[in-house]
Amino acid sequence: MANLEVELGALKLKNPVLAASGTFGFGEEYSSLIDLEKLGAIMVKGLTLKPRQGNPAPRITETPAGMLNAIGLQNPGLDAFLSRELPRLIDSHAAVIVNIAGDTEEDYITLARELSGVPGIVALELNLSCPNVKQGGILFGTSKMIMGRLITKVRGICPIPLIVKLSPNVTDITELAHAAEESGADIISLINTLKGMVIDIKSKRPLLGNITGGLSGPAIRPVAVRMVYDVYRSVKIPLIGMGGIMNLDDALQFFMAGARAVAVGAGNFVDPCAMPRLIDDLRSYLEKEGLQSVDEIVGSAQI
Amino acid sequence: MLSKARVLEIRKVSSNCYFLLLEEARIARESLPGQFLHIRIGESLTPFLRRPFSIAGTSPENGTLKILFQVMGEGTRILSMVQKEDRLDCLGPLGSGFSTQKAHNTSVLLAGGIGAAPLMFLSEALLREQKKVIFYYGASSLEQIIPVRSFFPSEAEVYLATEDGSAGYRGFVTEAFQEGLNNGLKPAEIFACGPKPMLQKLAEKNRDWKFPMQISLEERMACGIGACQGCAVTVQEKGETRCGLVCRDGPVFNWDEVVW
Ligand SMILES: Cc1cc2nc3c(=O)[nH]c(=O)nc-3n(C[C@H](O)[C@H](O)[C@H](O)COP(=O)(O)OP(=O)(O)OC[C@H]3O[C@@H](n4cnc5c(N)ncnc54)[C@H](O)[C@@H]3O)c2cc1C
Ligand SMILES: Cc1cc2nc3c(=O)[nH]c(=O)nc-3n(C[C@H](O)[C@H](O)[C@H](O)COP(=O)(O)O)c2cc1C
Ligand code: FES
């Protein structure tokens, strides 16, 4: 049987299919639908130090082949995560990656310090790319210098693998990827949502309470594949690719572009079984193609 | 929680509303009045998200359930074209239902437009509990009215209101109900579902009336199960406000919980 295990530097996963942050809550919501243990890992909802209320409604709207969201990082905060959500996740035998966001460097550092020694957490993902809150990372994710300094500081106190999630809302994503690698990131995940907007022509007002939101789903897939392709050629650290993945064919594009693992986001809303199915389909694909592991296709589309 | 339901019947019941009879034994067995299904519209990428619809009634013995829906946009337009024997991918039943307290005897159900759907299901449950059900139903005009008398159990007392006066009381359903109160109607409990302005109006009025009242809200949804935090509504509890989720904490809320 083909081996689905992957190694992203020091991060070993039983398979390369992950739940994208913010689309899978803290796992519990999906536990009656799928076996959480089967997933490569769960990247939990963006966590901040203190609880956050999030943005005014409406927070989501559908778009062609996708959706806009402006949740605003609503989450219960670090303490509630540690006391309530994490134990449940550990009970379900899921591999947990915590996505962290902050308003200041201090926030990120405190979160990293509090989380990185906790049993059950296999990696941290720095969210430097949420487009829906004023600080919430985007500030850190669009300037090479500010980002580099933050990653260096977090790296210094974080003994577990450090993933840096990049924003697509920049002129040249490879520059930021490069800066992330230089500053000590172990893994890069991309892409976060693309900033977008919908106007309700009846009321002549923006449809979302937050005015703008982040676009995700199949609509952004070609952009995401291109960015993975570009970043793969400019850094040596492994990549987690995401953006509009619904099934095996979509995921294969990301592997071929250079991702060593993939994450499913908005696809979970449409088909809650998308990830377990993708894992099974990936195994069948490798067997059919006579491949030993996904490593054999990673970056195979590079010319 | 995820099932393929078989379409047994689809029928147009007003100028823009459809009745859908589905067969899915588990959902028929588990559903409670006020709960909803999150239905995938076709297999293609547009429309992308599932669409939430209230369960309008079940028959656990036959393994069937009813949906009433109004064509609003692309998703419901495509749904109106399903055919007998098609399969619909349904997530649910989801959300919390209405709670029916044994003590209260006369229940008044107030519906605006397609808000009648969850109340139809509720009326069956209330009648089973031997309660008196009075149903006020409002629509904008005669042709928009779904034939509630054929959908509602015959024991329920039904009052109609149309905004243009083409059937029943001329005006809003809230006004028709107010007239009922003026004429001596004494509801023990109110259940309401309809457009937001109607529910907001009711909540305002209820500051004077002070009836026990549960309302069913709508909000745009992605996951439908509490994972994405997309369907937020501001709720208050003992003076403190917080974000509630329509899909998980609702869609049914107490009237004084919601911050408008
Ligand atoms: C808990 C709940 C129960 C509902 N029960 C019923 C029912 O029994 N019968 C019925 O006809 N309708 C019901 N609705 C409303 C129904 O979900 C919308 O009319 C439908 O989603 C519109 O889809 P569309 O593609 O036709 O419209 P579009 O406007 O094209 O939809 C665009 C997007 O907005 C969302 N949206 C638009 N209007 C609403 C709305 N009022 N509420 C929530 N999301 C909306 C859609 O789901 C979609 O994601 C219910 C909504 C909720 C939240
Ligand atoms: C509703 C919603 C909430 C999200 N919340 C977060 C978040 O808290 N942190 C984060 O890093 N990314 C968040 N994302 C971005 C996703 O993790 C992912 O990067 C993006 O949606 C692209 O993947 P997709 O097209 O498969 O959804 C969110 C996306 C959605 C749709
Ligand atoms: S729709 Fe996702 S939390 Fe309610």
Side-chain angles (χ1 to χ4, degrees), chain A residues 60, chain B residues 38 220-231 245-248:
Chain A
I60 44 183
Chain B
H38 212 20
R220 284 163 189 261
M221 293 184 178
C223 70
I225 57 173
C228 74
Q229 317 283 316
C231 59
L245 299 178
V246 172
C247 73
R248 192 189 58 200

Side-chain angles (χ1 to χ4, degrees), chain B residues 172-186:
Chain B
F172 291 119
V173 64
T174 44
E175 294 162 357
F177 172 61
Q178 176 75 66
E179 195 175 82
L181 289 178
N182 298 345
N183 293 335
L185 171 66
K186 291 210 166 42

Side-chain angles (χ1 to χ4, degrees), chain A residues 60-63 66-67 202 207, chain B residues 16-18 34-38 41 47-56 66-79 94-95 113-118 193 216-222 231 246-247 250-252:
Chain A
I60 44 183
T61 181
E62 190 178 64
T63 61
M67 61 179 287
K202 285 198 201 102
L207 200 143
Chain B
N16 63 352
C17 290
Y18 289 79
Q35 289 191 300
F36 68 96
L37 295 180
H38 212 20
I41 311 284
F48 184 62
L49 297 171
R50 290 171 180 267
R51 300 290 192 261
F53 296 98
S54 302
I55 299 156
K66 299 180 233 173
I67 302 275
L68 262 183
F69 70 94
Q70 183 175 7
V71 173
M72 295 298 290
E74 192 60 6
T76 43
R77 192 184 63 77
I78 295 173
L79 188 63
L94 303 173
I114 200 67
C193 183
S216 179
L217 296 183
E218 293 181 0
E219 193 47 77
R220 284 163 189 261
M221 293 184 178
C231 59
V246 172
C247 73
V252 178

Side-chain angles (χ1 to χ4, degrees), chain A residues 33-63:
Chain A
L33 285 157
I34 61 177
D35 179 8
L36 302 183
E37 191 177 358
K38 185 166 180 174
L39 307 177
I42 295 174
M43 296 154 124
V44 297
K45 175 70 198 166
L47 188 69
T48 52
L49 215 45
K50 295 269 169 305
R52 275 187 73 104
Q53 291 272 327
N55 288 328
R59 290 177 170 185
I60 44 183
T61 181
E62 190 178 64
T63 61

Side-chain angles (χ1 to χ4, degrees), chain B residues 47 79 85 154 174 195 215 235:
Chain B
L79 188 63
E85 296 304 321
S154 53
T174 44
I215 55 179
V235 293

Side-chain angles (χ1 to χ4, degrees), chain A residues 146-184:
Chain A
I146 302 179
M147 184 175 90
R149 201 173 69 194
L150 175 68
I151 295 173
T152 309
K153 286 194 177 160
V154 175
R155 172 75 291 173
I157 54 143
C158 174
I160 61 175
L162 186 62
I163 306 168
V164 170
K165 186 163 182 178
L166 293 184
S167 168
N169 303 308
V170 294
T171 316
D172 182 358
I173 196 167
T174 63
E175 275 191 13
L176 288 140
H178 203 68
E181 179 178 44
E182 297 265 278
S183 333

